[in-house]
Amino acid sequence: EDQVTQSPEALRLQEGESSSLNCSYTVSGLRGLFWYRQDPGKGPEFLFTLYSAGEEKEKERLKATLTKKESFLHITAPKPEDSATYLCAVQPYRGGYNKLIFGAGTRLAVHP
Amino acid sequence: DAGVTQSPTHLIKTRGQQVTLRCSPKSGHDTVSWYQQALGQGPQFIFQYYEEEERQRGNFPDRFSGHQFPNYSSELNVNALLLGDSALYLCASSFYDGTARGGYTFGSGTRLTVV
């Protein structure tokens, strides 16, 4: 069964304290792995798509990496505005369909 | 360029009632997917519509049904509401280029509360 597990469930950082979020997955054929950011009461906002092991993508203070079993979202020198829930999702091969399977997310709080 | 638009933003219904949620996809997108997100959980796939047909469905009962219109907008209908249907309902749109690669653009969701 396709499954996504994110850890930790919650993370509290001081401003400037770098850390990493983990996304472990099992899927019968990976088409892509996605990272989204979600603010309270809002819909997920797209951050990155990774398609193959070894791939890395960066955006401002965020960097996403992918292996065959997991992905990491590295946050360098975070600021309070980075506080949000970060969601990881996998897209399995299912012919022409692009359903996403999400993890439960990591709630990040960055304090000044 | 307008993103994904959902209405209403909030809704309170009584157990046993029926509800209809609406979604307008991002300009240029032709595929609409619906997700249910319970508090503290990740979104769960309900179904996807393309060319006015349901193409893929998640593990949701038949009480959940949908429709896509010729202008690509979509509705989600839920019958015989249960307390457990209380959640944030997210609409997401994408463009099908034949590869099914890539993700979605999400709307801000409809918060449904069943009392």
Side-chain angles (χ1 to χ4, degrees):
Chain A
E1 181 184 350
D2 301 327
Q3 193 170 352
V4 177
T5 303
Q6 292 189 244
S7 61
E9 291 184 7
L11 181 63
R12 178 188 170 115
L13 299 174
Q14 290 298 122
E15 185 172 2
E17 179 186 3
S18 301
S19 187
S20 297
L21 312 182
N22 177 262
C23 171
S24 297
Y25 64 90
T26 54
V27 63
S28 53
L30 180 69
R31 190 193 299 274
L33 185 139
F34 299 78
W35 282 99
Y36 285 87
R37 168 193 170 128
Q38 186 174 28
D39 293 303
K42 299 290 181 63
E45 176 188 345
F46 172 77
L47 293 174
F48 304 108
T49 309
L50 302 167
Y51 292 108
S52 56
E55 189 174 0
E56 299 182 352
K57 288 192 176 174
E58 290 188 65
K59 178 181 179 180
E60 297 181 354
R61 295 177 293 281
L62 301 177
K63 178 181 177 180
T65 62
L66 180 65
T67 72
K68 289 186 177 180
K69 293 184 177 180
E70 58 190 351
S71 177
F72 291 94
L73 184 65
H74 307 279
I75 303 177
T76 302
K79 299 181 177 182
E81 53 262 43
D82 295 322
S83 298
T85 295
Y86 290 84
L87 296 166
C88 172
V90 296
Q91 185 178 74
Y93 276 107
R94 289 292 185 274
Y97 309 123
N98 62 353
K99 160 186 171 179
L100 292 182
I101 299 169
F102 283 86
T106 293
R107 297 188 309 279
L108 174 66
V110 182
H111 297 270
Chain B
D1 178 27
V4 178
T5 305
Q6 291 188 244
S7 64
T9 55
H10 295 83
L11 202 54
I12 300 175
K13 288 288 189 178
T14 302
R15 190 172 46 183
Q17 284 188 316
Q18 178 265 344
V19 68
T20 297
L21 310 182
R22 296 176 175 81
C23 172
S24 293
K26 181 179 179 178
S27 178
H29 285 183
D30 58 5
T31 302
V32 173
S33 302
W34 287 92
Y35 285 77
Q36 180 195 65
Q37 186 175 25
L39 204 59
Q41 300 298 314
Q44 299 291 314
F45 177 76
I46 303 175
F47 44 52
Q48 183 179 85
Y49 278 85
Y50 173 70
E51 293 188 330
E52 302 179 47
E53 291 188 359
E54 183 183 295
R55 284 162 51 91
Q56 193 177 17
R57 189 179 183 94
N59 295 324
F60 280 81
D62 292 344
R63 299 186 297 109
F64 290 77
S65 64
H67 189 77
Q68 186 180 35
F69 299 93
N71 66 353
Y72 308 121
S73 67
S74 177
E75 290 182 349
L76 165 65
N77 300 292
V78 187
N79 295 321
L81 285 167
L82 304 174
L83 296 180
D85 294 331
S86 296
L88 180 68
Y89 287 85
L90 295 164
C91 172
S93 71
S94 57
F95 173 72
Y96 181 66
D97 62 0
T99 68
R101 225 186 189 202
Y104 313 137
T105 300
F106 280 89
S108 292
T110 293
R111 171 68 64 188
L112 172 65
T113 302
V114 182
V115 298

Coordinates of all heavy atoms in Angstrom, one line a residue, chain A residues 53-102:
Chain A
A53 N 15.8 10.1 -7.7 CA 16.7 10.0 -6.6 C 18.0 10.8 -6.9 O 18.5 10.7 -8.0 CB 17.1 8.6 -6.2
G54 N 18.4 11.6 -5.9 CA 19.6 12.5 -6.1 C 19.3 13.9 -6.5 O 20.1 14.8 -6.5
E55 N 18.0 14.1 -6.9 CA 17.6 15.4 -7.3 C 17.5 16.3 -6.1 O 17.1 15.9 -5.0 CB 16.3 15.3 -8.1 CG 15.8 16.6 -8.7 CD 14.6 16.4 -9.6 OE1 14.0 15.3 -9.6 OE2 14.1 17.4 -10.1
E56 N 17.9 17.6 -6.3 CA 17.8 18.6 -5.3 C 17.2 19.9 -5.9 O 17.4 20.2 -7.1 CB 19.1 19.0 -4.7 CG 19.9 17.8 -4.0 CD 21.2 18.2 -3.4 OE1 21.6 19.4 -3.7 OE2 21.8 17.4 -2.7
K57 N 16.4 20.6 -5.1 CA 15.8 21.9 -5.5 C 15.9 22.9 -4.4 O 15.7 22.5 -3.2 CB 14.4 21.7 -6.0 CG 14.3 21.0 -7.4 CD 13.0 21.1 -8.0 CE 13.1 20.5 -9.4 NZ 11.7 20.4 -10.1
E58 N 16.1 24.1 -4.7 CA 16.2 25.2 -3.7 C 15.3 26.4 -4.0 O 15.0 26.7 -5.1 CB 17.7 25.7 -3.6 CG 18.6 24.7 -3.0 CD 20.0 25.4 -2.8 OE1 20.1 26.3 -1.9 OE2 21.0 24.9 -3.5
K59 N 14.8 27.0 -2.9 CA 14.0 28.2 -3.0 C 14.2 29.0 -1.7 O 13.8 28.5 -0.6 CB 12.6 27.8 -3.2 CG 11.6 29.0 -3.3 CD 10.2 28.6 -3.5 CE 9.2 29.7 -3.6 NZ 7.8 29.3 -3.7
E60 N 14.9 30.1 -1.8 CA 15.2 30.9 -0.7 C 15.9 30.1 0.4 O 16.9 29.6 0.2 CB 13.9 31.6 -0.2 CG 13.3 32.6 -1.2 CD 12.1 33.3 -0.7 OE1 11.6 33.0 0.4 OE2 11.6 34.1 -1.5
R61 N 15.2 30.0 1.6 CA 15.9 29.3 2.7 C 15.6 27.8 2.7 O 16.0 27.1 3.6 CB 15.4 29.9 4.0 CG 15.8 31.3 4.2 CD 15.3 31.9 5.5 NE 13.8 32.1 5.5 CZ 13.2 33.1 4.8 NH1 13.9 34.0 4.2 NH2 11.9 33.1 4.8
L62 N 14.9 27.3 1.7 CA 14.4 25.9 1.7 C 15.2 25.1 0.6 O 15.4 25.6 -0.5 CB 12.9 25.8 1.4 CG 12.0 26.5 2.3 CD1 10.5 26.4 1.8 CD2 12.1 25.9 3.7
K63 N 15.5 23.9 0.9 CA 16.2 23.0 0.0 C 15.6 21.6 0.2 O 15.5 21.1 1.3 CB 17.7 22.9 0.2 CG 18.4 22.0 -0.7 CD 19.9 22.0 -0.4 CE 20.7 21.0 -1.2 NZ 22.2 21.1 -0.9
A64 N 15.1 21.0 -0.9 CA 14.5 19.7 -0.9 C 15.4 18.7 -1.6 O 16.0 19.0 -2.7 CB 13.1 19.7 -1.5
T65 N 15.6 17.5 -1.0 CA 16.4 16.4 -1.6 C 15.6 15.1 -1.6 O 14.6 15.0 -0.9 CB 17.7 16.2 -0.8 OG1 17.3 15.8 0.6 CG2 18.5 17.5 -0.7
L66 N 16.0 14.2 -2.5 CA 15.2 13.0 -2.7 C 16.1 11.8 -2.8 O 17.1 11.8 -3.5 CB 14.4 13.1 -3.9 CG 13.5 11.8 -4.3 CD1 12.4 11.6 -3.2 CD2 12.9 12.0 -5.7
T67 N 15.8 10.7 -2.0 CA 16.5 9.4 -2.2 C 15.4 8.4 -2.6 O 14.2 8.8 -2.8 CB 17.1 8.9 -0.9 OG1 16.1 8.5 0.1 CG2 18.0 10.0 -0.3
K68 N 15.7 7.1 -2.7 CA 14.7 6.1 -3.1 C 13.7 5.8 -2.1 O 12.7 5.2 -2.3 CB 15.5 4.9 -3.6 CG 16.2 5.0 -4.9 CD 16.8 3.7 -5.3 CE 17.5 3.9 -6.7 NZ 18.1 2.6 -7.2
K69 N 14.0 6.2 -0.8 CA 13.0 5.9 0.3 C 12.5 7.1 1.0 O 11.6 7.0 1.8 CB 13.7 4.9 1.3 CG 14.0 3.6 0.7 CD 14.6 2.7 1.8 CE 14.9 1.3 1.2 NZ 15.4 0.4 2.3
E70 N 13.2 8.3 0.9 CA 12.8 9.4 1.7 C 13.2 10.7 1.0 O 14.0 10.8 0.1 CB 13.4 9.3 3.1 CG 14.9 9.2 3.2 CD 15.3 8.9 4.6 OE1 14.6 8.9 5.6 OE2 16.5 8.6 4.7
S71 N 12.6 11.8 1.5 CA 12.9 13.1 1.1 C 13.2 14.0 2.3 O 12.5 13.8 3.4 CB 11.8 13.7 0.2 OG 12.1 15.1 -0.1
F72 N 14.0 15.0 2.2 CA 14.3 15.9 3.3 C 14.0 17.3 2.8 O 14.3 17.7 1.7 CB 15.7 15.8 3.8 CG 16.1 14.5 4.5 CD1 16.6 13.5 3.8 CD2 15.8 14.4 5.8 CE1 16.9 12.3 4.4 CE2 16.1 13.2 6.5 CZ 16.6 12.1 5.8
L73 N 13.4 18.1 3.7 CA 13.3 19.5 3.5 C 14.1 20.2 4.5 O 13.9 20.2 5.7 CB 11.8 20.0 3.6 CG 11.5 21.4 3.3 CD1 11.8 21.7 1.8 CD2 10.1 21.8 3.6
H74 N 15.2 20.8 4.0 CA 16.2 21.5 4.8 C 15.8 23.0 4.9 O 15.6 23.6 3.9 CB 17.6 21.4 4.3 CG 18.0 19.9 4.0 ND1 18.5 19.1 5.0 CD2 18.0 19.2 2.9 CE1 18.7 17.9 4.5 NE2 18.5 17.9 3.2
I75 N 15.8 23.5 6.1 CA 15.5 24.9 6.3 C 16.7 25.6 6.9 O 17.1 25.3 8.1 CB 14.2 25.1 7.2 CG1 13.1 24.3 6.6 CG2 13.9 26.6 7.4 CD1 11.8 24.4 7.5
T76 N 17.3 26.5 6.2 CA 18.5 27.2 6.6 C 18.1 28.6 7.2 O 17.5 29.4 6.5 CB 19.5 27.3 5.5 OG1 19.8 26.0 4.9 CG2 20.8 28.0 5.9
A77 N 18.6 28.8 8.4 CA 18.4 30.1 9.1 C 17.0 30.6 9.0 O 16.7 31.6 8.4 CB 19.4 31.2 8.5
P78 N 16.0 29.8 9.5 CA 14.6 30.1 9.4 C 14.2 31.5 10.0 O 14.9 31.9 11.0 CB 13.9 29.0 10.0 CG 14.9 28.4 11.0 CD 16.2 28.6 10.4
K79 N 13.2 32.0 9.5 CA 12.6 33.3 10.1 C 11.2 32.9 10.5 O 10.6 31.9 10.1 CB 12.5 34.3 9.0 CG 13.9 34.8 8.5 CD 13.8 35.9 7.4 CE 15.2 36.3 7.0 NZ 15.1 37.4 6.0
P80 N 10.6 33.8 11.4 CA 9.2 33.5 11.9 C 8.2 33.3 10.8 O 7.3 32.6 11.0 CB 8.9 34.8 12.7 CG 10.3 35.2 13.3 CD 11.2 34.9 12.1
E81 N 8.4 34.0 9.7 CA 7.4 33.9 8.6 C 7.5 32.5 7.9 O 6.7 32.2 7.1 CB 7.6 35.0 7.5 CG 9.0 35.1 7.0 CD 9.8 36.2 7.7 OE1 9.7 36.3 8.9 OE2 10.5 37.0 6.9
D82 N 8.5 31.7 8.3 CA 8.5 30.3 7.8 C 7.6 29.4 8.6 O 7.5 28.2 8.2 CB 10.0 29.8 7.8 CG 10.9 30.5 6.9 OD1 10.4 30.9 5.7 OD2 12.1 30.7 7.2
S83 N 7.1 29.9 9.6 CA 6.1 29.1 10.5 C 4.9 28.6 9.6 O 4.3 29.5 9.0 CB 5.7 29.8 11.7 OG 6.8 30.2 12.5
A84 N 4.7 27.3 9.6 CA 3.6 26.8 8.8 C 3.6 25.3 9.0 O 4.5 24.7 9.6 CB 3.7 27.1 7.3
T85 N 2.6 24.6 8.3 CA 2.7 23.1 8.2 C 3.2 22.8 6.9 O 2.8 23.3 5.8 CB 1.3 22.5 8.4 OG1 0.8 22.8 9.7 CG2 1.3 21.0 8.2
Y86 N 4.2 21.9 6.8 CA 4.9 21.5 5.6 C 4.4 20.1 5.3 O 4.5 19.1 6.1 CB 6.4 21.6 5.7 CG 6.8 23.0 5.8 CD1 6.9 23.7 7.0 CD2 7.2 23.7 4.6 CE1 7.2 25.0 7.0 CE2 7.6 25.0 4.6 CZ 7.6 25.7 5.8 OH 8.0 27.0 5.9
L87 N 3.8 19.9 4.1 CA 3.2 18.7 3.7 C 4.0 18.0 2.6 O 4.5 18.7 1.7 CB 1.8 18.9 3.1 CG 0.7 19.4 4.1 CD1 -0.5 19.9 3.3 CD2 0.3 18.3 5.1
C88 N 4.2 16.7 2.7 CA 4.9 15.9 1.7 C 3.9 15.0 1.0 O 3.0 14.5 1.7 CB 6.0 15.1 2.3 SG 6.8 13.9 1.2
A89 N 4.0 14.9 -0.3 CA 3.0 14.0 -1.0 C 3.8 13.2 -2.1 O 4.7 13.8 -2.7 CB 1.9 14.8 -1.6
V90 N 3.3 12.0 -2.4 CA 3.9 11.2 -3.5 C 2.8 11.0 -4.6 O 1.6 11.0 -4.3 CB 4.4 9.9 -3.0 CG1 5.6 10.1 -2.1 CG2 3.3 9.0 -2.4
Q91 N 3.3 10.9 -5.8 CA 2.4 10.7 -6.9 C 2.8 9.3 -7.5 O 3.9 9.3 -8.1 CB 2.5 11.8 -7.9 CG 1.6 11.7 -9.1 CD 1.8 12.8 -10.1 OE1 2.7 12.9 -10.8 NE2 0.8 13.8 -10.0
P92 N 2.0 8.3 -7.3 CA 2.4 7.0 -7.8 C 2.1 6.9 -9.3 O 1.2 7.6 -9.8 CB 1.6 6.0 -6.9 CG 0.4 6.8 -6.5 CD 0.8 8.2 -6.4
Y93 N 2.7 5.9 -9.9 CA 2.4 5.6 -11.3 C 1.0 4.9 -11.3 O 0.9 3.9 -10.7 CB 3.4 4.7 -12.0 CG 4.6 5.4 -12.5 CD1 5.8 5.4 -11.9 CD2 4.5 6.2 -13.7 CE1 6.9 6.0 -12.4 CE2 5.6 6.9 -14.2 CZ 6.8 6.8 -13.5 OH 7.9 7.4 -14.0
R94 N 0.1 5.6 -12.0 CA -1.3 4.9 -12.2 C -1.8 5.3 -13.5 O -2.8 5.9 -13.7 CB -2.2 5.4 -11.1 CG -2.0 5.0 -9.7 CD -2.2 3.5 -9.5 NE -2.1 3.1 -8.1 CZ -0.9 2.8 -7.5 NH1 0.2 2.8 -8.3 NH2 -0.9 2.5 -6.3
G95 N -1.0 5.0 -14.5 CA -1.4 5.3 -15.9 C -1.5 6.8 -16.1 O -0.5 7.5 -15.7
G96 N -2.6 7.3 -16.5 CA -2.7 8.7 -16.8 C -3.2 9.6 -15.7 O -3.6 10.7 -15.9
Y97 N -3.2 9.0 -14.5 CA -3.8 9.8 -13.4 C -2.8 10.4 -12.5 O -1.7 9.8 -12.3 CB -4.7 8.8 -12.6 CG -5.7 8.1 -13.4 CD1 -5.7 6.7 -13.5 CD2 -6.5 8.8 -14.3 CE1 -6.6 6.0 -14.3 CE2 -7.4 8.1 -15.1 CZ -7.4 6.7 -15.1 OH -8.3 6.1 -15.9
N98 N -3.1 11.5 -11.9 CA -2.1 12.2 -11.1 C -2.5 12.4 -9.6 O -2.3 13.5 -9.0 CB -1.7 13.5 -11.7 CG -2.9 14.5 -11.8 OD1 -4.0 14.1 -11.5 ND2 -2.6 15.7 -12.2
K99 N -3.2 11.4 -9.0 CA -3.6 11.5 -7.6 C -2.3 11.7 -6.7 O -1.3 11.1 -7.0 CB -4.3 10.2 -7.3 CG -4.3 9.8 -5.8 CD -4.9 8.4 -5.7 CE -4.8 7.9 -4.3 NZ -5.4 6.6 -4.1
L100 N -2.5 12.5 -5.7 CA -1.4 12.6 -4.7 C -1.8 12.0 -3.4 O -2.9 12.0 -3.0 CB -1.1 14.1 -4.4 CG -0.5 14.9 -5.6 CD1 -0.3 16.4 -5.2 CD2 0.8 14.3 -6.1
I101 N -0.8 11.3 -2.7 CA -1.0 10.7 -1.4 C -0.1 11.5 -0.4 O 1.1 11.6 -0.6 CB -0.5 9.3 -1.4 CG1 -1.4 8.5 -2.4 CG2 -0.7 8.7 0.0 CD1 -0.9 7.1 -2.7
F102 N -0.8 12.2 0.5 CA -0.2 13.1 1.5 C 0.2 12.4 2.8 O -0.5 11.5 3.2 CB -1.1 14.3 1.8 CG -1.2 15.3 0.7 CD1 -2.0 15.2 -0.4 CD2 -0.3 16.4 0.7 CE1 -2.1 16.1 -1.4 CE2 -0.4 17.4 -0.2 CZ -1.3 17.3 -1.3

